[in-house]
């Protein structure tokens, strides 16, 4: 396949552009990974952690309200404690929906919900006993309430810890993806720069060497040296120029030989133009033809002069005889 200089340059630019597109794709992919990690952390893991912290707070407030009711026996306090039950159920259900894709965390939450139901039953029984005036029996339930509360707080703390570990791991994964993308971008960018420099160097050297060789050969021809050879195997414009130089060199050598033959008086030399557009060759052929015609005319004139001289000599002899 023949490739000219323009095609080679366009091909080199396309290679560099392709490498730059690879860099852009890597950058885009890395940014997408970072966005996905940030979205997962902000919209999933952090709300999960916040929900667990709210559950811990609501549970501590509810346990405190039940104990406060046992001391003060005010119905308003009991009512507030019972309202916390509905709040905790709603937040627990919301957190359960958020943890659907994480079975380990979901199992801890389910265990918490089961223990919370027992805690509510125990707390209501404690409140009923204290409200009925059975203080001694009611106080016997305090240790159970406290133990259940501590157990649930431990489960919520474990759940929060696992969620925080997930957040930390997500940050680490995002950082690793970012570092990998940056390294890959740097490598591909360096390869693109090296490829661009190599293509530019090879093209410039090819063009420069070809033009220099042909220019040197033409200068040698101008000084009369027809022996300079140009060895360029390229198929581009430089190669065509070198091929044209070789043909011109051969043709000039032929014309030089023909000129030497004409100078020696040999007009039998044959020179033909290589094409209809070969102006120099056509002119040289015309010059040789005209020279031949001129020499023929000179030869004919010399013959006529010889005949006339012979006739004059004869007439002179006849005139001499007549005079005598």
């Amino acid at each position: 396949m023949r490739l000219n200089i323009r095609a080679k340059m366009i091909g080199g630019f396309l290679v560099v552009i392709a490498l730059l597109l690879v860099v852009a794709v890597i950058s885009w992919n890395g940014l997408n990974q970072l966005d996905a990690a940030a979205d997962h952390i902000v919209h999933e893991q952090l709300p999960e952690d916040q929900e667990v912290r709210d559950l811990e707070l609501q549970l501590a407030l509810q346990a405190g309200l039940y104990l406060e009711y046992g001391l003060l026996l005010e119905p308003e306090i009991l009512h507030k404690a019972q309202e916390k039950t509905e709040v905790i159920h709603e937040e627990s259900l919301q957190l359960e929906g958020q943890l659907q894709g994480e079975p380990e965390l979901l199992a801890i939450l389910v265990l918490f919900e089961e223990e919370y139901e027992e805690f509510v039953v125990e707390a209501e029984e404690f409140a009923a006993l204290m409200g009925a005036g059975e203080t001694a029996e009611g106080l016997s339930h305090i240790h159970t309430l406290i133990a259940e509360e501590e157990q649930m707080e431990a489960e919520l703390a474990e759940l929060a810890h696992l969620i925080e570990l997930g957040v930390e791991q997500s940050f680490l994964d995002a950082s690793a993806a970012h570092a990998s993308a940056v390294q890959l971008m740097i490598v591909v960018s360096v390869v693109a720069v090296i490829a661009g420099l190599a293509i530019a160097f090879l093209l410039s050297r090819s063009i420069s060497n070809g033009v220099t060789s042909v220019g040197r050969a033409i200068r040698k021809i101008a000084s009369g040296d027809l022996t300079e050879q140009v060895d360029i195997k390229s198929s581009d414009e430089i190669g065509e120029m070198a091929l044209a130089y070789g043909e011109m060199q051969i043709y000039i050598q032929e014309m030089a030989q023909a000129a030497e033959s004409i100078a020696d008086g040999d007009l039998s030399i044959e020179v033909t133009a290589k094409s209809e557009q070969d102006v120099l060759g056509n002119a040289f052929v015309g010059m040789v033809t005209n020279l031949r015609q001129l020499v023929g005319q000179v030869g004919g004139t010399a013959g006529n002069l010889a005949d006339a001289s012979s006739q004059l000599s004869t007439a002179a002899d006849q005139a001499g005889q007549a005079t005598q």
Side-chain angles (χ1 to χ4, degrees):
M1 180 179 179
R2 182 181 178 275
L3 294 176
N4 55 23
I5 295 176
R6 177 181 296 177
K8 291 179 180 178
M9 294 181 67
I10 292 175
F13 290 146
L14 289 177
V15 171
V16 176
I17 291 173
L19 292 173
L20 293 177
L21 287 177
V22 172
V23 174
V25 170
I26 294 172
S27 304
W28 180 77
N29 184 52
L31 291 176
N32 279 346
Q33 290 181 354
L34 291 176
D35 289 341
D39 184 73
H40 178 67
I41 293 170
V42 173
H43 295 94
E44 295 183 24
Q45 293 180 314
L46 291 181
E48 292 171 2
D49 185 65
Q50 183 63 40
E51 201 69 43
V52 172
R53 299 302 180 186
D54 287 341
L55 278 176
E56 289 179 335
L57 177 61
Q58 297 298 332
L59 179 62
L61 289 174
Q62 186 179 38
L65 287 172
Y66 274 116
L67 292 176
E68 185 178 357
Y69 173 76
L71 294 174
L72 302 178
L73 298 178
E74 295 181 1
E76 184 179 353
I77 297 176
L78 179 60
H79 180 68
K80 289 182 179 179
Q82 291 171 344
E83 287 180 345
K84 293 294 182 184
T85 301
E86 184 178 354
V87 172
I88 291 176
H89 275 305
E90 290 178 356
E91 292 188 354
S92 179
L93 287 175
Q94 184 176 355
L95 182 60
E96 186 175 344
Q98 293 173 343
L99 298 178
Q100 286 300 319
E102 303 174 79
E104 182 182 0
L105 303 181
L106 187 59
I108 298 175
L109 180 61
V110 171
L111 180 61
F112 164 80
E113 291 173 343
E114 294 173 355
E115 293 180 353
Y116 179 71
E117 294 297 333
E118 297 176 0
F119 170 79
V120 172
V121 172
E122 189 71 26
E124 288 295 323
E125 187 175 353
F126 164 75
L129 290 173
M130 297 299 291
E134 299 179 6
T135 306
E137 188 174 354
L139 291 175
S140 65
H141 289 270
I142 292 179
H143 298 291
T144 305
L145 285 175
I146 294 175
E148 289 178 350
E149 181 190 1
E150 290 178 350
Q151 179 63 29
M152 288 186 294
E153 287 179 348
E155 291 168 355
L156 290 177
E158 182 182 3
L159 187 59
H161 176 67
L162 292 177
I163 292 174
E164 289 170 358
L165 287 179
V167 172
E168 183 178 354
Q169 185 61 44
S170 296
F171 274 114
L172 292 176
D173 292 341
S175 299
H178 176 263
S180 176
V182 170
Q183 291 177 356
L184 195 55
M185 286 166 53
I186 292 174
V187 171
V188 177
S189 299
V190 171
V191 171
V193 171
I194 294 175
L197 292 175
I199 292 171
F201 173 75
L202 292 176
L203 284 175
S204 62
R205 188 180 68 173
S206 174
I207 296 171
S208 176
N209 290 346
V211 172
T212 301
S213 298
V214 175
R216 182 174 57 250
I218 292 175
R219 284 194 298 271
K220 288 291 185 66
I221 288 179
S223 63
D225 184 2
L226 301 178
T227 61
E228 182 71 17
Q229 299 294 325
V230 178
D231 186 15
I232 298 177
K233 304 301 182 182
S234 176
S235 61
D236 55 18
E237 290 85 350
I238 303 297
E240 290 181 354
M241 187 166 59
L243 181 62
Y245 166 79
E247 294 176 352
M248 180 185 69
Q249 183 185 39
I250 294 173
Y251 193 49
I252 290 177
Q253 289 174 348
E254 291 178 355
M255 288 193 296
Q257 293 174 358
E260 291 178 359
S261 298
I262 291 174
D264 294 338
D266 183 7
L267 298 180
S268 62
I269 187 71
E270 293 292 337
V271 178
T272 58
K274 295 184 180 297
S275 66
E276 295 180 357
Q277 291 77 22
D278 192 347
V279 179
L280 181 61
N282 288 326
F284 194 83
V285 171
M287 180 187 72
V288 172
T289 302
N290 292 334
L291 284 175
R292 287 174 179 167
Q293 292 176 355
L294 182 59
V295 170
Q297 292 174 359
V298 170
T301 302
N304 292 333
L305 288 175
D307 292 338
S309 177
S310 177
Q311 292 173 2
L312 287 174
S313 178
T314 302
D317 288 341
Q318 292 175 355
Q321 291 175 3
T323 300
Q324 289 178 0

